[in-house]
Amino acid sequence: MLTERTTLVQFLIEERRRHPGASGELNSLILDVALACKAIANRVASGALGGALGSAGQVNVQGETQQKLDILANDYFVRATEWCGDVAGMVSEELDDPYLLPDGYPRGKYLLVFDPLDGSSNIDVNVSVGSIFSILRAPNPGIDPVRDDFLQRGTEQVCAGYAIYGPSTMIVLSVGTGVHAFTLDPNLGEFFLTRESIKIPAAAKEFAINASNQRFWEPAVQRYVSECLAGKSGPRQRDFNMRWVASLVAETHRILTRGGIFLYPRDSRAPAKAGKLRLLYEANPIAFLIEQAGGAASTGRQRMLDVVPSDIHQRISFIFGPSEEVARIEEYHDQPYEPPTTLPLYKTRGLFREEVS
Ligand code: F6P
Ligand code: MN
C-alpha cells in the first residue's frame, strides 16, 4: 500500500508546497480533524458493542434529540483540535454557542465549523452517517472569536470536507484545488488517496428529496419533481430514479460518485425557518465541494456560497447537483407555476394534449 498510494499527510504536504508562504497550520488542523474522524469511525463501527448507541436524553439548540454518539463525536472534534494552536474557536451543530478554547491553549488563525455526526438518526439502523467540516480564517487571529466572526460567506472557506462512515471510512475534502477522496486503511490507521479530482457526472438520472413533505413544497419544487416523475412521457423525456438515505453525507457521496440532484427545499411547515439544513456546517461545506467538483449549489434563488449568514445555526433551503439541473430549478423559482388540480399532471395542463386526448 505504502509504495502505491499517496497518504493524506503526503497529499497535504504536496499541496502546501504550492504555497511557499503557507505555515503548515492548515495541514495540521486538517490532520487533527482526520484524527477525530478516525475516532468517530471506530465508535460508529462498534455499534451496540461500543455502548454508545441510543438517545442521550437531551435536545440540542436545533430542537433535535441528541444521540449519545452525537455528543461523543462532538467531544472528539473538540478534543482533537482545541490544543494545537491552529484554531481560534469553533462552532458545532451540537453546541448552542461558539466553543471558546480553554485557558492555556494558544489561539490560532482558523475557525473550525462542524456537524460532528450528520444523519445521526441513521445510527440505530446501521446506515451510513458522516461528519461535515468547514475551515474559515479567523478575522482576528490569536484571540477568542466572537459570534459574528463565524458569519462568513461560503466563498471564504479555506477547506471543506466530510467523513463518511459507511462500509469503508472515507474523507472527501477540498482545499480549493478540486475534490479528493481518501479511504481509511483500518490496519494502518491511515487515509490513502483513492479518487483524485472528482467531477460530478453532468447528466442527472436520480433525484433525492424527502417526498413525504411534498404538500409543503413551493411551486418550483412541485414542478421540478413532478416533471422528473413524469419520466419519458413528461417534458424531460427520460426516466428518473429516486433515492433518499436521510443522511446528507451519504447523499452527497452518492452524487459525487454517480451523479444526481439533491433537494431539501424551503417548505411551508415552519415559515420562520428557511429550510431544514444548516448553512454554516452543512450547506456551505457541501456546496464548496460540489462547486469544486464542477457542479452547482443553490438555495433555489441564489448561489449558496454567496449567502451572507445571519446566525451560526441558520437553516436554509439547499439544492445541489450538476450545474444545468440546478439552473433549471432556479429558473422554475423565477417563473409562475400553477400546480395542476387533478392527476396525472400533464393531462390537465394541455401540454401533451395530443398524447392524452
Ligand atoms: O442533519 C440533518 C439531516 O439528518 C441530513 O443529514 C439529512 O439530509 C436530513 O437531515 C434528513 O431529513 P429528513 O429526516 O427530513 O428526511
Ligand atoms: Mn446534520
Side-chain angles (χ1 to χ4, degrees), residues 128-163:
S128 297
V129 288
S131 303
I132 310 174
F133 58 93
S134 159
I135 300 175
L136 299 160
R137 287 195 177 79
N140 298 300
I143 60 169
D144 285 330
V146 294
R147 216 176 173 90
D148 281 1
D149 291 348
F150 292 90
L151 304 181
Q152 302 184 33
R153 282 189 179 86
T155 46
E156 302 304 311
Q157 292 172 100
V158 182
C159 171
Y162 62 81

PDB file of all heavy atoms in Angstrom, residues 128-163:
ATOM      1  N   SER A 128     -25.232   4.420   6.769  1.00  0.00           N
ATOM      2  CA  SER A 128     -24.107   5.363   6.754  1.00  0.00           C
ATOM      3  C   SER A 128     -24.430   6.710   7.389  1.00  0.00           C
ATOM      4  O   SER A 128     -25.481   7.298   7.141  1.00  0.00           O
ATOM      5  CB  SER A 128     -23.679   5.634   5.311  1.00  0.00           C
ATOM      6  OG  SER A 128     -23.214   4.457   4.729  1.00  0.00           O
ATOM      7  N   VAL A 129     -23.501   7.181   8.182  1.00  0.00           N
ATOM      8  CA  VAL A 129     -23.557   8.535   8.740  1.00  0.00           C
ATOM      9  C   VAL A 129     -22.226   9.209   8.411  1.00  0.00           C
ATOM     10  O   VAL A 129     -21.356   8.602   7.776  1.00  0.00           O
ATOM     11  CB  VAL A 129     -23.810   8.515  10.263  1.00  0.00           C
ATOM     12  CG1 VAL A 129     -25.228   8.105  10.579  1.00  0.00           C
ATOM     13  CG2 VAL A 129     -22.818   7.600  10.975  1.00  0.00           C
ATOM     14  N   GLY A 130     -22.063  10.451   8.829  1.00  0.00           N
ATOM     15  CA  GLY A 130     -20.814  11.135   8.486  1.00  0.00           C
ATOM     16  C   GLY A 130     -20.547  12.319   9.394  1.00  0.00           C
ATOM     17  O   GLY A 130     -21.307  12.602  10.326  1.00  0.00           O
ATOM     18  N   SER A 131     -19.439  13.002   9.140  1.00  0.00           N
ATOM     19  CA  SER A 131     -19.117  14.267   9.808  1.00  0.00           C
ATOM     20  C   SER A 131     -18.867  15.290   8.701  1.00  0.00           C
ATOM     21  O   SER A 131     -18.333  14.928   7.646  1.00  0.00           O
ATOM     22  CB  SER A 131     -17.828  14.157  10.631  1.00  0.00           C
ATOM     23  OG  SER A 131     -17.905  13.125  11.573  1.00  0.00           O
ATOM     24  N   ILE A 132     -19.248  16.543   8.947  1.00  0.00           N
ATOM     25  CA  ILE A 132     -19.019  17.588   7.936  1.00  0.00           C
ATOM     26  C   ILE A 132     -18.206  18.703   8.598  1.00  0.00           C
ATOM     27  O   ILE A 132     -18.491  19.075   9.738  1.00  0.00           O
ATOM     28  CB  ILE A 132     -20.350  18.168   7.417  1.00  0.00           C
ATOM     29  CG1 ILE A 132     -21.315  17.049   7.006  1.00  0.00           C
ATOM     30  CG2 ILE A 132     -20.115  19.101   6.230  1.00  0.00           C
ATOM     31  CD1 ILE A 132     -22.714  17.535   6.609  1.00  0.00           C
ATOM     32  N   PHE A 133     -17.222  19.235   7.878  1.00  0.00           N
ATOM     33  CA  PHE A 133     -16.432  20.315   8.479  1.00  0.00           C
ATOM     34  C   PHE A 133     -16.087  21.400   7.473  1.00  0.00           C
ATOM     35  O   PHE A 133     -16.071  21.165   6.263  1.00  0.00           O
ATOM     36  CB  PHE A 133     -15.143  19.769   9.131  1.00  0.00           C
ATOM     37  CG  PHE A 133     -14.238  19.026   8.175  1.00  0.00           C
ATOM     38  CD1 PHE A 133     -13.206  19.681   7.513  1.00  0.00           C
ATOM     39  CD2 PHE A 133     -14.416  17.672   7.934  1.00  0.00           C
ATOM     40  CE1 PHE A 133     -12.369  18.999   6.630  1.00  0.00           C
ATOM     41  CE2 PHE A 133     -13.590  16.983   7.048  1.00  0.00           C
ATOM     42  CZ  PHE A 133     -12.565  17.651   6.403  1.00  0.00           C
ATOM     43  N   SER A 134     -15.850  22.585   8.020  1.00  0.00           N
ATOM     44  CA  SER A 134     -15.530  23.753   7.203  1.00  0.00           C
ATOM     45  C   SER A 134     -14.499  24.575   7.983  1.00  0.00           C
ATOM     46  O   SER A 134     -14.617  24.737   9.195  1.00  0.00           O
ATOM     47  CB  SER A 134     -16.827  24.546   7.008  1.00  0.00           C
ATOM     48  OG  SER A 134     -16.580  25.887   6.656  1.00  0.00           O
ATOM     49  N   ILE A 135     -13.490  25.046   7.275  1.00  0.00           N
ATOM     50  CA  ILE A 135     -12.448  25.855   7.933  1.00  0.00           C
ATOM     51  C   ILE A 135     -12.446  27.255   7.322  1.00  0.00           C
ATOM     52  O   ILE A 135     -12.402  27.415   6.097  1.00  0.00           O
ATOM     53  CB  ILE A 135     -11.064  25.181   7.793  1.00  0.00           C
ATOM     54  CG1 ILE A 135     -11.099  23.784   8.444  1.00  0.00           C
ATOM     55  CG2 ILE A 135      -9.973  26.053   8.417  1.00  0.00           C
ATOM     56  CD1 ILE A 135      -9.815  22.966   8.274  1.00  0.00           C
ATOM     57  N   LEU A 136     -12.538  28.251   8.207  1.00  0.00           N
ATOM     58  CA  LEU A 136     -12.551  29.663   7.790  1.00  0.00           C
ATOM     59  C   LEU A 136     -11.343  30.356   8.415  1.00  0.00           C
ATOM     60  O   LEU A 136     -10.783  29.865   9.402  1.00  0.00           O
ATOM     61  CB  LEU A 136     -13.830  30.339   8.307  1.00  0.00           C
ATOM     62  CG  LEU A 136     -15.158  29.775   7.806  1.00  0.00           C
ATOM     63  CD1 LEU A 136     -16.297  30.180   8.747  1.00  0.00           C
ATOM     64  CD2 LEU A 136     -15.440  30.264   6.387  1.00  0.00           C
ATOM     65  N   ARG A 137     -10.997  31.520   7.880  1.00  0.00           N
ATOM     66  CA  ARG A 137      -9.936  32.308   8.541  1.00  0.00           C
ATOM     67  C   ARG A 137     -10.558  33.090   9.696  1.00  0.00           C
ATOM     68  O   ARG A 137     -11.652  33.650   9.552  1.00  0.00           O
ATOM     69  CB  ARG A 137      -9.318  33.297   7.557  1.00  0.00           C
ATOM     70  CG  ARG A 137      -8.445  32.630   6.542  1.00  0.00           C
ATOM     71  CD  ARG A 137      -7.550  33.608   5.791  1.00  0.00           C
ATOM     72  NE  ARG A 137      -6.695  32.854   4.893  1.00  0.00           N
ATOM     73  CZ  ARG A 137      -7.097  32.379   3.715  1.00  0.00           C
ATOM     74  NH1 ARG A 137      -8.304  32.641   3.266  1.00  0.00           N
ATOM     75  NH2 ARG A 137      -6.269  31.659   2.955  1.00  0.00           N
ATOM     76  N   ALA A 138      -9.851  33.143  10.813  1.00  0.00           N
ATOM     77  CA  ALA A 138     -10.330  33.965  11.937  1.00  0.00           C
ATOM     78  C   ALA A 138     -10.050  35.426  11.585  1.00  0.00           C
ATOM     79  O   ALA A 138      -8.909  35.768  11.265  1.00  0.00           O
ATOM     80  CB  ALA A 138      -9.601  33.576  13.214  1.00  0.00           C
ATOM     81  N   PRO A 139     -11.070  36.291  11.645  1.00  0.00           N
ATOM     82  CA  PRO A 139     -10.820  37.701  11.330  1.00  0.00           C
ATOM     83  C   PRO A 139      -9.767  38.310  12.267  1.00  0.00           C
ATOM     84  O   PRO A 139      -9.009  39.173  11.858  1.00  0.00           O
ATOM     85  CB  PRO A 139     -12.184  38.366  11.526  1.00  0.00           C
ATOM     86  CG  PRO A 139     -13.178  37.258  11.418  1.00  0.00           C
ATOM     87  CD  PRO A 139     -12.487  36.021  11.901  1.00  0.00           C
ATOM     88  N   ASN A 140      -9.726  37.832  13.510  1.00  0.00           N
ATOM     89  CA  ASN A 140      -8.727  38.334  14.459  1.00  0.00           C
ATOM     90  C   ASN A 140      -7.933  37.159  15.018  1.00  0.00           C
ATOM     91  O   ASN A 140      -8.229  36.643  16.104  1.00  0.00           O
ATOM     92  CB  ASN A 140      -9.424  39.073  15.614  1.00  0.00           C
ATOM     93  CG  ASN A 140     -10.196  40.272  15.101  1.00  0.00           C
ATOM     94  OD1 ASN A 140      -9.624  41.176  14.511  1.00  0.00           O
ATOM     95  ND2 ASN A 140     -11.513  40.254  15.302  1.00  0.00           N
ATOM     96  N   PRO A 141      -6.901  36.729  14.286  1.00  0.00           N
ATOM     97  CA  PRO A 141      -6.142  35.562  14.740  1.00  0.00           C
ATOM     98  C   PRO A 141      -5.504  35.822  16.098  1.00  0.00           C
ATOM     99  O   PRO A 141      -5.178  36.960  16.435  1.00  0.00           O
ATOM    100  CB  PRO A 141      -5.043  35.414  13.671  1.00  0.00           C
ATOM    101  CG  PRO A 141      -5.413  36.311  12.549  1.00  0.00           C
ATOM    102  CD  PRO A 141      -6.368  37.329  13.064  1.00  0.00           C
ATOM    103  N   GLY A 142      -5.383  34.763  16.868  1.00  0.00           N
ATOM    104  CA  GLY A 142      -4.656  34.885  18.143  1.00  0.00           C
ATOM    105  C   GLY A 142      -5.530  35.232  19.330  1.00  0.00           C
ATOM    106  O   GLY A 142      -5.069  35.189  20.461  1.00  0.00           O
ATOM    107  N   ILE A 143      -6.796  35.590  19.078  1.00  0.00           N
ATOM    108  CA  ILE A 143      -7.691  35.875  20.220  1.00  0.00           C
ATOM    109  C   ILE A 143      -9.007  35.113  20.051  1.00  0.00           C
ATOM    110  O   ILE A 143      -9.314  34.630  18.960  1.00  0.00           O
ATOM    111  CB  ILE A 143      -7.981  37.395  20.381  1.00  0.00           C
ATOM    112  CG1 ILE A 143      -8.660  37.958  19.111  1.00  0.00           C
ATOM    113  CG2 ILE A 143      -6.715  38.171  20.703  1.00  0.00           C
ATOM    114  CD1 ILE A 143      -9.201  39.368  19.297  1.00  0.00           C
ATOM    115  N   ASP A 144      -9.765  35.037  21.136  1.00  0.00           N
ATOM    116  CA  ASP A 144     -11.061  34.349  21.058  1.00  0.00           C
ATOM    117  C   ASP A 144     -11.965  35.056  20.039  1.00  0.00           C
ATOM    118  O   ASP A 144     -12.081  36.275  20.070  1.00  0.00           O
ATOM    119  CB  ASP A 144     -11.758  34.384  22.424  1.00  0.00           C
ATOM    120  CG  ASP A 144     -11.130  33.417  23.408  1.00  0.00           C
ATOM    121  OD1 ASP A 144     -10.606  32.363  22.960  1.00  0.00           O
ATOM    122  OD2 ASP A 144     -11.148  33.714  24.619  1.00  0.00           O
ATOM    123  N   PRO A 145     -12.605  34.280  19.169  1.00  0.00           N
ATOM    124  CA  PRO A 145     -13.536  34.901  18.215  1.00  0.00           C
ATOM    125  C   PRO A 145     -14.843  35.291  18.886  1.00  0.00           C
ATOM    126  O   PRO A 145     -15.169  34.788  19.959  1.00  0.00           O
ATOM    127  CB  PRO A 145     -13.786  33.791  17.200  1.00  0.00           C
ATOM    128  CG  PRO A 145     -13.539  32.527  17.937  1.00  0.00           C
ATOM    129  CD  PRO A 145     -12.533  32.822  19.012  1.00  0.00           C
ATOM    130  N   VAL A 146     -15.582  36.185  18.232  1.00  0.00           N
ATOM    131  CA  VAL A 146     -16.955  36.464  18.667  1.00  0.00           C
ATOM    132  C   VAL A 146     -17.893  35.815  17.647  1.00  0.00           C
ATOM    133  O   VAL A 146     -17.464  35.409  16.570  1.00  0.00           O
ATOM    134  CB  VAL A 146     -17.227  37.989  18.775  1.00  0.00           C
ATOM    135  CG1 VAL A 146     -16.384  38.600  19.880  1.00  0.00           C
ATOM    136  CG2 VAL A 146     -17.004  38.698  17.449  1.00  0.00           C
ATOM    137  N   ARG A 147     -19.164  35.730  18.038  1.00  0.00           N
ATOM    138  CA  ARG A 147     -20.163  35.053  17.199  1.00  0.00           C
ATOM    139  C   ARG A 147     -20.144  35.527  15.738  1.00  0.00           C
ATOM    140  O   ARG A 147     -20.164  34.736  14.806  1.00  0.00           O
ATOM    141  CB  ARG A 147     -21.539  35.333  17.823  1.00  0.00           C
ATOM    142  CG  ARG A 147     -22.503  34.202  17.732  1.00  0.00           C
ATOM    143  CD  ARG A 147     -23.781  34.596  18.477  1.00  0.00           C
ATOM    144  NE  ARG A 147     -24.790  33.596  18.259  1.00  0.00           N
ATOM    145  CZ  ARG A 147     -24.954  32.521  19.038  1.00  0.00           C
ATOM    146  NH1 ARG A 147     -24.184  32.329  20.073  1.00  0.00           N
ATOM    147  NH2 ARG A 147     -25.897  31.637  18.759  1.00  0.00           N
ATOM    148  N   ASP A 148     -20.076  36.838  15.562  1.00  0.00           N
ATOM    149  CA  ASP A 148     -20.127  37.410  14.206  1.00  0.00           C
ATOM    150  C   ASP A 148     -18.950  36.963  13.337  1.00  0.00           C
ATOM    151  O   ASP A 148     -19.043  36.979  12.108  1.00  0.00           O
ATOM    152  CB  ASP A 148     -20.129  38.947  14.277  1.00  0.00           C
ATOM    153  CG  ASP A 148     -21.518  39.481  14.625  1.00  0.00           C
ATOM    154  OD1 ASP A 148     -22.431  38.641  14.818  1.00  0.00           O
ATOM    155  OD2 ASP A 148     -21.680  40.714  14.707  1.00  0.00           O
ATOM    156  N   ASP A 149     -17.827  36.602  13.953  1.00  0.00           N
ATOM    157  CA  ASP A 149     -16.655  36.202  13.167  1.00  0.00           C
ATOM    158  C   ASP A 149     -16.946  34.966  12.314  1.00  0.00           C
ATOM    159  O   ASP A 149     -16.285  34.716  11.307  1.00  0.00           O
ATOM    160  CB  ASP A 149     -15.469  35.888  14.099  1.00  0.00           C
ATOM    161  CG  ASP A 149     -14.932  37.140  14.769  1.00  0.00           C
ATOM    162  OD1 ASP A 149     -15.318  38.252  14.341  1.00  0.00           O
ATOM    163  OD2 ASP A 149     -14.134  37.011  15.722  1.00  0.00           O
ATOM    164  N   PHE A 150     -17.931  34.166  12.760  1.00  0.00           N
ATOM    165  CA  PHE A 150     -18.255  32.934  12.037  1.00  0.00           C
ATOM    166  C   PHE A 150     -19.212  33.186  10.868  1.00  0.00           C
ATOM    167  O   PHE A 150     -19.437  32.305  10.051  1.00  0.00           O
ATOM    168  CB  PHE A 150     -18.896  31.912  12.988  1.00  0.00           C
ATOM    169  CG  PHE A 150     -17.936  31.383  14.018  1.00  0.00           C
ATOM    170  CD1 PHE A 150     -17.784  32.013  15.249  1.00  0.00           C
ATOM    171  CD2 PHE A 150     -17.177  30.253  13.751  1.00  0.00           C
ATOM    172  CE1 PHE A 150     -16.902  31.530  16.203  1.00  0.00           C
ATOM    173  CE2 PHE A 150     -16.294  29.749  14.701  1.00  0.00           C
ATOM    174  CZ  PHE A 150     -16.154  30.397  15.931  1.00  0.00           C
ATOM    175  N   LEU A 151     -19.795  34.382  10.828  1.00  0.00           N
ATOM    176  CA  LEU A 151     -20.841  34.648   9.823  1.00  0.00           C
ATOM    177  C   LEU A 151     -20.201  35.090   8.506  1.00  0.00           C
ATOM    178  O   LEU A 151     -20.396  36.205   8.038  1.00  0.00           O
ATOM    179  CB  LEU A 151     -21.826  35.691  10.355  1.00  0.00           C
ATOM    180  CG  LEU A 151     -22.479  35.326  11.699  1.00  0.00           C
ATOM    181  CD1 LEU A 151     -23.462  36.391  12.134  1.00  0.00           C
ATOM    182  CD2 LEU A 151     -23.156  33.953  11.615  1.00  0.00           C
ATOM    183  N   GLN A 152     -19.436  34.185   7.927  1.00  0.00           N
ATOM    184  CA  GLN A 152     -18.735  34.474   6.677  1.00  0.00           C
ATOM    185  C   GLN A 152     -19.407  33.732   5.526  1.00  0.00           C
ATOM    186  O   GLN A 152     -19.906  32.622   5.701  1.00  0.00           O
ATOM    187  CB  GLN A 152     -17.283  34.016   6.771  1.00  0.00           C
ATOM    188  CG  GLN A 152     -16.507  34.653   7.905  1.00  0.00           C
ATOM    189  CD  GLN A 152     -15.030  34.215   7.876  1.00  0.00           C
ATOM    190  OE1 GLN A 152     -14.443  33.982   6.822  1.00  0.00           O
ATOM    191  NE2 GLN A 152     -14.427  34.113   9.049  1.00  0.00           N
ATOM    192  N   ARG A 153     -19.369  34.368   4.353  1.00  0.00           N
ATOM    193  CA  ARG A 153     -19.895  33.696   3.158  1.00  0.00           C
ATOM    194  C   ARG A 153     -19.133  32.392   2.906  1.00  0.00           C
ATOM    195  O   ARG A 153     -17.938  32.299   3.185  1.00  0.00           O
ATOM    196  CB  ARG A 153     -19.657  34.578   1.932  1.00  0.00           C
ATOM    197  CG  ARG A 153     -20.599  35.719   1.785  1.00  0.00           C
ATOM    198  CD  ARG A 153     -20.333  36.334   0.401  1.00  0.00           C
ATOM    199  NE  ARG A 153     -21.222  37.447   0.175  1.00  0.00           N
ATOM    200  CZ  ARG A 153     -20.951  38.690   0.579  1.00  0.00           C
ATOM    201  NH1 ARG A 153     -19.825  38.962   1.209  1.00  0.00           N
ATOM    202  NH2 ARG A 153     -21.818  39.652   0.326  1.00  0.00           N
ATOM    203  N   GLY A 154     -19.831  31.439   2.281  1.00  0.00           N
ATOM    204  CA  GLY A 154     -19.209  30.149   1.953  1.00  0.00           C
ATOM    205  C   GLY A 154     -18.001  30.279   1.042  1.00  0.00           C
ATOM    206  O   GLY A 154     -17.107  29.422   1.042  1.00  0.00           O
ATOM    207  N   THR A 155     -17.966  31.349   0.255  1.00  0.00           N
ATOM    208  CA  THR A 155     -16.815  31.564  -0.635  1.00  0.00           C
ATOM    209  C   THR A 155     -15.526  31.750   0.160  1.00  0.00           C
ATOM    210  O   THR A 155     -14.441  31.612  -0.388  1.00  0.00           O
ATOM    211  CB  THR A 155     -17.022  32.826  -1.505  1.00  0.00           C
ATOM    212  OG1 THR A 155     -17.482  33.880  -0.647  1.00  0.00           O
ATOM    213  CG2 THR A 155     -18.036  32.597  -2.606  1.00  0.00           C
ATOM    214  N   GLU A 156     -15.645  32.091   1.428  1.00  0.00           N
ATOM    215  CA  GLU A 156     -14.455  32.357   2.254  1.00  0.00           C
ATOM    216  C   GLU A 156     -13.832  31.081   2.816  1.00  0.00           C
ATOM    217  O   GLU A 156     -12.802  31.143   3.492  1.00  0.00           O
ATOM    218  CB  GLU A 156     -14.821  33.281   3.440  1.00  0.00           C
ATOM    219  CG  GLU A 156     -15.424  34.622   3.039  1.00  0.00           C
ATOM    220  CD  GLU A 156     -14.512  35.388   2.096  1.00  0.00           C
ATOM    221  OE1 GLU A 156     -13.313  35.516   2.395  1.00  0.00           O
ATOM    222  OE2 GLU A 156     -15.003  35.813   1.022  1.00  0.00           O
ATOM    223  N   GLN A 157     -14.458  29.936   2.590  1.00  0.00           N
ATOM    224  CA  GLN A 157     -13.930  28.695   3.174  1.00  0.00           C
ATOM    225  C   GLN A 157     -12.536  28.378   2.616  1.00  0.00           C
ATOM    226  O   GLN A 157     -12.297  28.483   1.418  1.00  0.00           O
ATOM    227  CB  GLN A 157     -14.875  27.521   2.880  1.00  0.00           C
ATOM    228  CG  GLN A 157     -16.209  27.650   3.618  1.00  0.00           C
ATOM    229  CD  GLN A 157     -17.212  26.600   3.171  1.00  0.00           C
ATOM    230  OE1 GLN A 157     -17.407  25.601   3.840  1.00  0.00           O
ATOM    231  NE2 GLN A 157     -17.846  26.837   2.027  1.00  0.00           N
ATOM    232  N   VAL A 158     -11.655  27.989   3.515  1.00  0.00           N
ATOM    233  CA  VAL A 158     -10.288  27.636   3.125  1.00  0.00           C
ATOM    234  C   VAL A 158     -10.222  26.139   2.832  1.00  0.00           C
ATOM    235  O   VAL A 158      -9.458  25.672   2.000  1.00  0.00           O
ATOM    236  CB  VAL A 158      -9.320  27.966   4.283  1.00  0.00           C
ATOM    237  CG1 VAL A 158      -7.887  27.667   3.894  1.00  0.00           C
ATOM    238  CG2 VAL A 158      -9.473  29.404   4.730  1.00  0.00           C
ATOM    239  N   CYS A 159     -11.041  25.411   3.529  1.00  0.00           N
ATOM    240  CA  CYS A 159     -11.109  23.960   3.343  1.00  0.00           C
ATOM    241  C   CYS A 159     -12.500  23.508   3.741  1.00  0.00           C
ATOM    242  O   CYS A 159     -13.104  24.089   4.659  1.00  0.00           O
ATOM    243  CB  CYS A 159     -10.066  23.272   4.235  1.00  0.00           C
ATOM    244  SG  CYS A 159     -10.217  21.474   4.280  1.00  0.00           S
ATOM    245  N   ALA A 160     -13.022  22.531   3.047  1.00  0.00           N
ATOM    246  CA  ALA A 160     -14.306  21.938   3.437  1.00  0.00           C
ATOM    247  C   ALA A 160     -14.238  20.455   3.142  1.00  0.00           C
ATOM    248  O   ALA A 160     -13.502  20.034   2.230  1.00  0.00           O
ATOM    249  CB  ALA A 160     -15.454  22.582   2.662  1.00  0.00           C
ATOM    250  N   GLY A 161     -14.974  19.693   3.910  1.00  0.00           N
ATOM    251  CA  GLY A 161     -14.948  18.259   3.650  1.00  0.00           C
ATOM    252  C   GLY A 161     -15.928  17.498   4.506  1.00  0.00           C
ATOM    253  O   GLY A 161     -16.642  18.080   5.330  1.00  0.00           O
ATOM    254  N   TYR A 162     -15.962  16.205   4.260  1.00  0.00           N
ATOM    255  CA  TYR A 162     -16.767  15.336   5.116  1.00  0.00           C
ATOM    256  C   TYR A 162     -16.059  14.006   5.280  1.00  0.00           C
ATOM    257  O   TYR A 162     -15.200  13.634   4.469  1.00  0.00           O
ATOM    258  CB  TYR A 162     -18.177  15.121   4.546  1.00  0.00           C
ATOM    259  CG  TYR A 162     -18.253  14.438   3.199  1.00  0.00           C
ATOM    260  CD1 TYR A 162     -18.156  13.060   3.063  1.00  0.00           C
ATOM    261  CD2 TYR A 162     -18.445  15.189   2.036  1.00  0.00           C
ATOM    262  CE1 TYR A 162     -18.244  12.440   1.826  1.00  0.00           C
ATOM    263  CE2 TYR A 162     -18.532  14.582   0.791  1.00  0.00           C
ATOM    264  CZ  TYR A 162     -18.427  13.204   0.688  1.00  0.00           C
ATOM    265  OH  TYR A 162     -18.496  12.585  -0.534  1.00  0.00           O
ATOM    266  N   ALA A 163     -16.411  13.329   6.359  1.00  0.00           N
ATOM    267  CA  ALA A 163     -16.010  11.932   6.513  1.00  0.00           C
ATOM    268  C   ALA A 163     -17.288  11.126   6.399  1.00  0.00           C
ATOM    269  O   ALA A 163     -18.332  11.547   6.907  1.00  0.00           O
ATOM    270  CB  ALA A 163     -15.371  11.707   7.871  1.00  0.00           C
TER     271      ALA A 163
END
